[in-house]
Amino acid sequence: MSEDRFARSAWFRHDRFGMFIHWGPYAVPARGEWLRSHERVPLADYQYAVDGFGAEDFDPHTWAELAAAAGQKYAVLTAKHHDGFCLFDTALTDYGSMHNGIGRDLVAEFLEAFRARGIKVGLYFSLLDWRHPDYPHHGDWAHPERDNPAFASHEPDLESYRAFLHGQVRELCTNYGKLDILWFDFSYEGMGPEQWGAADLVAMVRELQPDVIMDNRLETSGEGMGSIVTDEPTSYCGDFVSPEQVIPVEGFHTPDGTPVPWEACVTLNNNWGYAAADDLWKSPEQVITKLVECVAKGGNLLLNVGPDARGTIQPEAAERLRRIGHWLEANGESVYGAGPAGFGSPEWGYYTRSGSTVYAHVLRAPIGPLPLTGVPKDAIERISLVADGQELKLCEEWVVASYPDIPFVQFGEVGHFTYPLPDPVDTVVRIELKDDSTPVGGTS
Ligand code: GLC
């Protein structure tokens, strides 16, 4: 298998941390983006949401400033979610932000502002479209009208729907300059690559946007991984695996052991779209350590915000993002451009690695010195704290006498003393190895 298979995503594997943005009329009912399906809301009864979605306060420059402050290197906006409402200028329907009282191309504004900040840009595009008359209604797995007898004789016209889907993707790939990510969502039983015309769709995308990377959901859903992890990838298997609302137990590999790029997408509370009553926020500490876990396993983290109907990112989210960014400002070298270290999983945290530099992410304080398990003692050149550059010593005292082969690092002058960790969230210790040919012992 050629090593080039994942070459397109080199920047993505370097950047590691992105902002996901779910925004659309569902912010008006403020119960998440699936409400039409969950509450069986007919199209006409959703019109108040479309009418109420005003984007009055939308200033994408403030969003981009926040993403930059959070240390997020790329961002993915919902150009269209399952409700079918388009945030971009499309000739194929009036159901979007160019009409309906908004009169703005929200996608174009987003792209301009994020690009201006040097943040890579991606667009999420729903393969489902609950507004389109030719999309399966009755009997479909998720459609709002799935069990409405009035639609019992509705006949989906998949050929017409495919033409619409391909036409809109063509618009996005043609009218908006260079896109870095196309994030398709999603396949399910009965609606998959064949129904999407995935092979033709991808051929078109690759022609119009040769460098864009795609997720794996034209072929599968958040749960499955698809043929990207096999020896026989399809043309539409995508460039990365997209686990949702979970950090994978371990990284993904092809049968010959080649690491497969992946990105965990995770909400900051429990909803993608704005949900006013959802106050189950993840803490900045939780997100930081989960980001590090992703990197240690060879993956990325795409962290979601769901702005309100006026276009404001909730203060609870903004405040958390800034705190995450503050940690990354000091410790980013252990995340950006880093990946698995190959030294196994220490009991106290994670290792990440960039070339001949290994980073010990110490999440739990030791008693006395900390064992750098897995790291060969004689390969160590120098040890220091990433946050302030302070040099740390390897412990040679009697406390470690029983473990002559394990390097123990001490956090203060006296080897057998216990010191509080300098950063209670994640103290990052830089371990410079003598050369980067030090054998890699594993995949995590
Ligand atoms: C999903 C959902 C959804 C969300 C998303 C993000 O499968 O349908 O609403 O946009 O994936 O990963």
Side-chain angles (χ1 to χ4, degrees), residues 88-202:
F88 63 104
D89 188 2
T90 170
L92 302 177
T93 175
D94 287 347
Y95 203 64
S97 66
M98 296 305 290
H99 308 272
N100 302 287
I102 305 174
R104 288 165 73 177
D105 185 334
L106 304 173
V107 161
E109 292 184 41
F110 156 79
L111 293 172
E112 185 274 321
F114 279 70
R115 284 179 182 139
R117 282 250 165 207
I119 297 174
K120 292 230 167 26
V121 288
L123 296 176
Y124 167 109
F125 188 87
S126 173
L127 298 166
L128 293 66
D129 190 322
W130 296 331
R131 195 271 330 165
H132 200 281
D134 297 323
Y135 197 85
H137 286 45
H138 194 75
D140 179 64
W141 171 68
H143 197 283
E145 305 287 9
R146 59 189 170 281
D147 45 24
N148 179 354
F151 283 87
S153 56
H154 173 262
E155 301 235 340
D157 180 344
L158 286 179
E159 207 176 309
S160 145
Y161 181 67
R162 248 188 320 271
F164 172 72
L165 162 67
H166 289 214
Q168 287 206 314
V169 173
R170 176 179 289 280
E171 290 178 325
L172 290 173
C173 289
T174 310
N175 301 337
Y176 292 92
K178 182 178 184 296
L179 301 174
D180 300 300
I181 303 179
L182 262 180
W183 218 103
F184 291 111
D185 192 33
F186 61 87
S187 297
Y188 55 99
E189 192 146 9
M191 294 303 284
E194 197 187 317
Q195 287 72 22
W196 313 135
D200 291 345
L201 186 68
V202 166

Side-chain angles (χ1 to χ4, degrees), residues 20 22 33-34 81-82 124 183 185-186 217 244 265 272:
F20 212 173
H22 276 69
E33 76 291 349
W34 268 74
H81 208 272
H82 308 332
Y124 167 109
W183 218 103
D185 192 33
F186 61 87
R217 295 190 182 185
E244 178 173 331
C265 54
W272 300 100

Side-chain angles (χ1 to χ4, degrees), residues 369 383-384 391-396 408-414:
I383 304 192
S384 54
E391 189 147 353
L392 300 177
K393 284 203 281 200
L394 279 185
C395 179
E396 304 292 352
F408 280 75
V409 65
Q410 57 190 65
F411 289 96
E413 276 310 304
V414 184

Side-chain angles (χ1 to χ4, degrees), residues 311-324:
T312 300
I313 293 176
Q314 291 168 275
E316 293 90 336
E319 178 210 321
R320 281 164 174 77
L321 288 170
R322 289 187 196 283
R323 283 173 54 193
I324 295 162

